[in-house]
Amino acid sequence: MSQLESLGHVIEADILIIGGGIAGLWAACKAREYVNNVVIVEKGPADWGGLASRAGGDLDAVIPEEKIEDWLSDIVYYFDGLCDQEIVKVILENSYARLADYEYLGHKFLRGPDGNLKGILQRGLDHVKCFLYRPYGAGGSNMVRVMQEKANQISVKRFGRIYITDILKTGSTITGAIGFNVRNGDFYIFKANTIILATGSSCLDIALKAGVELKNFEFGHVRNDPKSFLWEGQTNLLPLGAYFVNAKGERFMDKYSPILRNNTDFHYNVIGMAIETRAGNNPFYLDCSEMKPADIELMKPEAGWLKLSYDRLLASGINFFQGKTEWQPRVGGNYGGVIVDTKGRTKVPGLFAAGTTWATNAGVYMGGWNLCKTAVTGYIVGESGGEYAASAKNAQINPYQVETLKRKIYSPLKQNGILPSRVGMAIRDLIQPIEVSILKNKNSLTVALDKMGFIKEKLLPQMTAKDTHHLMNLMDVNWTALSTEFNLTASLMREETRGGHTREDFPKRDNRNWMKWIIFSSDGENHVNVRSERIPLEKYDVKPKRYYMDNFRFT
Ligand SMILES: Cc1cc2nc3c(=O)[nH]c(=O)nc-3n(C[C@H](O)[C@H](O)[C@H](O)COP(=O)(O)OP(=O)(O)OC[C@H]3O[C@@H](n4cnc5c(N)ncnc54)[C@H](O)[C@@H]3O)c2cc1C
């Protein structure tokens, strides 16, 4: 038995993909054309498919009769100029080919009697469209199914219930990754000289520790959801005439944006809700009763969990499309992601990223964009990672490094201390207030950052896990803490309002000082650096002249 095998299960891979969501599946299927031994490792069940398994399955794509430049111009405008145009352009250029791949694999999009795809314009933009999957309601799970079938046909290996904690390097060379089984606690060592990170927005600390740079943390995730049942599809309901009203029955967004009204991103509708709440005009309701009958038919769930939800509502006497249902804002997570080039390469040779790990969004989102992005970037990275792996040398893992890390990973087990869930709650409480996450200001961000400092210093080191399932939770809370700290730090730095970042004390856009990214990097486990970097507008096609944020007047 080798020194490594004495430490845990050793799995060899030509390419290791961390994360078995839809981006990981795309990357795996493409990479398999270049190398034989493609391995996906997933902390959930091997075949759950990540968030896509719950998604609508709708997709943005630039169809052949449309122009990439038009879509790019829309997105630069929508992101208020804060757009990596090279990255977005490459996503758009490849979008239709991936839609066609999906159809070929058995994931069908809605077409009219003329055979043309039927799309819904997003957020009041002129060109960006989301194409709908049929039957409505089971789209995401169908996407996952077709990609898993493909992965099975070409013998992509999939390991579930293994939580990856660290990426291994010798010098600057990637040698593999380690993690533990969240059920039985077994330790795993994956040997691979090419790794594709497809963990969505979670666990990016493992990339940071490996030397990858991150950005876009100032942009928090906010959305609206029904208060007492599950629904998805707001992204298409609002363009089709559904509207939010406040407790007085007023269409409050009309006064904040007479042009777009509430046909916009969650972020703007939530700002409207925050201001209305301060005036005592909450709660809020979504009213679909003025949608045209044909559009109601279009959006009526036909399958999946959405149909179950719809039927349950009907059984309790509520017709979703005929009355008002109560909705509320929700805050959680952020748009922080990994900095990559157009091939999905990070700064670390051999370490690639796919899917929603790519930092593309300035805090606003177009319906259908993520499933477009996951398919396109998964494919691109499968190709670039596959080429890299085909010519890379054998990985040589240092057993002493693994032994040291292993001891550290399991150290929070079975000690007295604080439960991770309690610390997670403390972080959620800190980020929830309107003035920390929605209408930010210097004072509230500084106070929140101080509280975060306390959590980091006093609570995180005392967290304990009674088993390896809780150990996974503990590690997730560590990432939540770090990404929240990044969110607060970057929010404080960006002294302006732009995209999904709103500062009440700096309500204007400041192009002179803030046409910049805020970037986090690490030169060791505990040393995080933050810097800003000018956006290279001179090399981009679109010079920002119009700004989506100008459609709104919240003061
Ligand atoms: C209800 C709902 C409806 C949606 N509808 C749409 C839609 O119609 N159109 C659209 O474009 N988007 C939609 N989305 C968004 C879209 O589904 C997701 O953004 C997309 O699926 C993300 O894919 P991903 O592969 O990048 O990340 P994820 O799905 O987050 O996958 C990442 C995977 O990595 C695993 N992982 C993370 N860390 C580790 C670790 N340390 N070790 C091992 N494994 C790890 C996770 O368990 C996860 O399975 C919807 C989302 C939801 C929730």
Side-chain angles (χ1 to χ4, degrees), residues 193-215:
N193 38 37
T194 309
I195 292 183
I196 297 176
L197 191 76
T199 55
S201 53
S202 61
C203 300
L204 299 185
D205 44 348
I206 59 179
L208 188 77
K209 280 189 276 177
V212 168
E213 293 189 321
L214 310 175
K215 71 177 183 192

Side-chain angles (χ1 to χ4, degrees), residues 19 23 42-43 48 51-52 55-58 164 198 202-203 232 356 368 370-371:
E42 163 60 46
K43 69 177 174 170
W48 92 285
L51 290 179
D58 311 329
I164 295 297
S202 61
C203 300
E232 89 88 28
T356 45
N370 275 359
L371 290 178

Side-chain angles (χ1 to χ4, degrees), residues 160 372 549:
C372 164
M549 63 182 283

Side-chain angles (χ1 to χ4, degrees), residues 89-101:
K89 194 171 173 191
V90 96
I91 295 174
L92 297 175
E93 282 167 350
N94 288 279
S95 58
Y96 184 70
R98 301 295 73 82
L99 182 148
D101 286 345

